[in-house]
Amino acid sequence: MIKLKAVLALTFGCLLTLSAQAVEVRDHHKEVIGKDCKTCHDNGIKQFPSDQACLQCHDIDDLAEQTARSEEDKWQNPHNNLHYGKELPCQECHGEHTPKQPLCSNCHTFKFDKFKK
């Protein structure tokens, strides 16, 4: 009987731990994805999504156009820049569950207040 209680307590504790790992999803993604984590986490739940997963919904050319700068600052476009062109991995700047400090912000200041991070 004591062993059964210990096993039940351990099982209950594991279930609580799993539910505690639930993470926040941004509202604009929640509307499209729902609760199916595998929609984005195509490399496994504990791995970052691939760029291909992001590009299922987001078009890099549209993003580059939306974040385009003036002609004199054209290479300071985070989605089409001097260093990486359009090839910078999405993970370098974007984090779904926790905010990220973009790689480029070490040297550049991008101000796109109207866009979600």
Side-chain angles (χ1 to χ4, degrees):
M1 186 67 168
I2 292 175
K3 287 183 182 181
L4 177 62
K5 287 182 182 179
V7 168
L8 288 174
L10 184 59
T11 303
F12 183 68
C14 289
L15 291 174
L16 285 176
T17 301
L18 287 175
S19 67
Q21 292 178 358
V23 293
E24 291 296 317
V25 177
R26 295 171 189 229
D27 290 338
H28 55 279
H29 282 155
K30 201 178 294 184
E31 294 170 9
V32 177
I33 299 166
K35 294 184 179 182
D36 185 8
C37 300
K38 292 179 183 178
T39 301
C40 295
H41 289 275
D42 57 342
N43 292 327
I45 297 300
K46 294 185 178 188
Q47 302 296 318
F48 287 116
S50 69
D51 284 347
Q52 290 76 22
C54 299
L55 296 175
Q56 288 181 53
C57 298
H58 302 280
D59 181 85
I60 191 65
D61 293 322
D62 287 345
L63 292 170
E65 186 178 320
Q66 290 176 20
T67 55
R69 308 291 287 225
S70 67
E71 185 60 31
E72 65 187 47
D73 290 335
K74 72 178 184 177
W75 292 117
Q76 287 203 34
N77 184 336
H79 297 106
N80 186 14
N81 61 74
L82 178 64
H83 306 293
Y84 302 100
K86 296 179 183 178
E87 301 298 320
L88 183 65
C90 303
Q91 313 307 321
E92 292 298 328
C93 300
H94 300 281
E96 174 67 16
H97 306 299
T98 56
K100 292 190 84 173
Q101 183 67 25
L103 172 71
C104 303
S105 67
N106 292 331
C107 301
H108 300 280
T109 57
F110 297 113
K111 294 185 180 174
F112 296 106
D113 298 332
K114 69 179 183 175
F115 294 103
K116 299 174 177 106
K117 293 183 180 180

